Amino acid sequence: MEQVSQYLDGERDYTLIKGGTGPLVYPAAHVYIYSGLHYVTDGGKDILLAQIIFGGLYLGTLSLVMACYRAAKAPPYIFPLLILSKRLHSLFVLRLFNDCFAVGALFLAIYVYQKRLWTSGSIIYSFGVGIKMSLLLAAPAVGIMLLQALPVRGRAINAAFIMAQMQVMERRLSLPRPLQATDVSQYVLAFPFIRANPRGYLSRAFEFSRQFLFKWTVNWRFLGPQTFQSRQFAIILALGNVTGLFMFLQRRWTRPSGLSMIGIAKTILDPLPPRVQQQISLRITPPFVLTSILTSMILGLLFARTLHYQFYAYIAWSSPFLLWRSGLHPAFIYLVWGVQEWAWNVYPSTNISSMAVVGCLLLQVSGVWWGTKDETVEVRTSQEARPEERSSRSQNAQVADIKKS
């Protein structure tokens, strides 16, 4: 509220906006959301009203998560795990973190993507990144999904650009007709701050060189402060994240097209035949959308330099689905969830709790990798495709055609 008060008083230079918690380090959408909260809660004095608003946000996001799970054909027995987290309730109705809005935007974008509304999903996802850049962890999965889903040449690239441009747009770009409606929105979020001090805004809102304090870490406490703060450890984490992303990109997230990363890149300049491209697009199914985006998020959190308690907002509603996708027995899913929930409720974190945090994340990432190893790409039914797009050929024949093309 202190930082927002300075914005409402007319300050637009990000480097000059500070408060009792330090400088402003979140993108522009965060400022706008909390400006609204500042207005309706009398400058933050009406805490009860703020809690009611966040309670409504919790219920709305929970409904979205359940809708995404249902679209991805998740079994009913994992749904209770979505409502049992004590830590998640604390984040929403006690701590009032901006991560609550960010995770809401993430699952709204996923839901819209599952409905095959690609441009709308990218706009929503962009807004989420504008709340907190943690959502950039999902960008690799979103990007490769769009490259395979959108059939028109150049359209996927421009849709992917939306996710970054809404925060850092400095000049107008020429977009294809389906995306022209989003052009104005690319200015709205960051333009007032970019006009005042573009370098200051980018360096604060998307600061990748931030120094992390060992006393607040939830995940790597068991390594000790010396290792935690070392440059070598940061490099190892970065290499681990890049390696994991490459493996999933090459072996899991490109399955709808049946092409390698290089093959997909070539289709940007040399598009596939429209019929073949449409067949690929139809394989971007709701389960694929949810699995790939949540895996990308959890993989990034596994190799994050540090995690604070508010990051559990992204984990709590991802873990049940990913544990199920790992092929684990229901009893083991509940056991792992219980261990993870316990670890995130230990304050301050201990060596044992931090090992449990990392171990549960590692289990989810490796579990999804092995659990989907022999999985075939689901092809949408003929009822979901237009008559001219229907095909009676086998999936193997379709993939062969794609690779041949």
Side-chain angles (χ1 to χ4, degrees):
M1 290 296 104
E2 292 174 335
Q3 297 168 350
V4 164
S5 296
Q6 295 171 44
Y7 163 73
L8 295 175
D9 288 338
E11 184 59 68
R12 296 296 183 268
D13 188 338
Y14 247 57
T15 62
L16 300 180
I17 300 178
K18 302 177 182 179
T21 58
L24 177 58
V25 293
Y26 301 119
H30 160 85
V31 177
Y32 301 141
I33 289 174
Y34 278 81
S35 295
L37 291 173
H38 184 280
Y39 176 77
V40 300
T41 62
D42 189 22
K45 297 177 182 178
D46 193 342
I47 301 298
L48 178 59
L49 178 57
Q51 290 179 304
I52 293 173
I53 293 172
F54 272 81
L57 176 64
Y58 170 83
L59 294 175
T61 305
L62 176 62
S63 299
L64 280 172
V65 174
M66 289 183 171
C68 292
Y69 273 46
R70 288 189 62 185
K73 301 178 181 178
Y77 64 78
I78 66 172
F79 278 67
L81 298 179
L82 301 177
I83 63 174
L84 294 177
S85 174
K86 175 184 176 182
R87 173 58 67 184
L88 189 61
H89 296 160
S90 173
L91 295 177
F92 271 88
V93 297
L94 291 179
R95 309 303 176 183
L96 314 183
F97 284 118
N98 63 350
D99 301 83
C100 303
F101 288 97
V103 75
L106 174 65
F107 276 98
L108 179 57
I110 290 173
Y111 179 76
V112 173
Y113 280 139
Q114 289 178 323
K115 298 298 182 181
R116 305 181 62 77
L117 302 173
W118 309 116
T119 301
S120 298
S122 295
I123 294 173
I124 296 168
Y125 176 65
S126 297
F127 186 79
V129 175
I131 300 171
K132 194 167 185 178
M133 70 175 185
S134 303
L135 295 196
L136 286 174
L137 295 176
V142 173
I144 197 65
M145 177 185 68
L146 292 175
L147 285 171
Q148 296 175 96
L150 299 178
V152 180
R153 179 176 178 175
R155 189 174 168 193
I157 297 177
N158 283 290
F161 274 144
I162 295 176
M163 298 181 293
Q165 291 166 350
M166 285 186 70
Q167 293 80 29
V168 299
M169 193 69 176
E170 295 188 54
R171 59 182 180 179
R172 195 177 189 86
L173 297 179
S174 177
L175 298 178
R177 186 173 299 275
L179 302 182
Q180 287 177 359
T182 69
D183 196 15
V184 175
S185 66
Q186 297 174 20
Y187 288 91
V188 172
L189 293 182
F191 182 74
F193 306 104
I194 290 176
R195 184 174 59 179
N197 185 351
R199 185 170 299 179
Y201 172 76
L202 296 176
S203 65
R204 284 290 174 84
F206 299 95
E207 183 181 0
F208 293 96
S209 59
R210 191 178 305 163
Q211 296 296 318
F212 301 104
L213 299 178
F214 177 74
K215 68 177 181 178
W216 297 119
T217 187
V218 178
N219 52 338
W220 298 116
R221 181 172 297 277
F222 65 93
L223 295 178
Q226 185 173 357
T227 300
F228 175 81
Q229 296 170 351
S230 68
R231 179 175 176 80
Q232 292 80 3
F233 179 58
I235 293 174
I236 291 173
L237 291 176
L239 290 175
N241 195 16
V242 170
T243 301
L245 285 173
F246 178 80
M247 292 173 62
F248 276 97
L249 284 167
Q250 189 71 12
R251 298 294 183 182
R252 297 294 185 269
W253 300 341
T254 56
R255 279 179 172 173
S257 66
L259 300 174
S260 65
M261 287 293 297
I262 296 176
I264 292 177
K266 289 181 179 179
T267 64
I268 298 174
L269 300 176
D270 185 18
L272 295 171
R275 187 178 183 84
V276 175
Q277 178 61 68
Q278 184 61 35
Q279 291 167 359
I280 294 174
S281 181
L282 291 174
R283 297 191 189 116
I284 306 296
T285 60
F288 176 85
V289 171
L290 188 58
T291 302
S292 57
I293 292 179
L294 294 188
T295 302
S296 187
M297 282 294 300
I298 296 300
L299 178 64
L301 294 173
L302 170 62
F303 290 104
R305 182 71 178 273
T306 187
L307 295 178
H308 298 163
Y309 287 98
Q310 58 264 41
F311 282 90
Y312 195 55
Y314 311 102
I315 296 173
W317 281 328
S318 300
S319 295
F321 182 78
L322 295 181
L323 289 171
W324 170 66
R325 294 288 282 147
S326 300
L328 301 177
H329 189 277
F332 195 65
I333 291 176
Y334 272 76
L335 175 62
V336 174
W337 180 90
V339 171
Q340 178 174 263
E341 176 70 15
W342 165 82
W344 282 90
N345 278 281
V346 174
Y347 179 82
S349 63
T350 63
N351 290 342
I352 295 177
S353 69
S354 64
M355 283 191 285
V357 167
V358 175
C360 290
L361 292 175
L362 179 61
L363 177 62
Q364 292 169 52
V365 172
S366 58
V368 170
W369 174 263
W370 291 108
T372 59
K373 180 178 63 172
D374 300 321
E375 186 178 82
T376 58
V377 178
E378 178 186 350
V379 181
R380 295 173 72 88
T381 65
S382 58
Q383 293 180 347
E384 296 174 287
R386 294 191 297 269
E388 65 270 23
E389 296 166 349
R390 298 173 187 171
S391 173
S392 59
R393 293 179 298 170
S394 67
Q395 181 181 331
N396 291 335
Q398 293 174 352
V399 173
D401 285 349
I402 294 169
K403 292 183 176 180
K404 183 178 179 180
S405 301

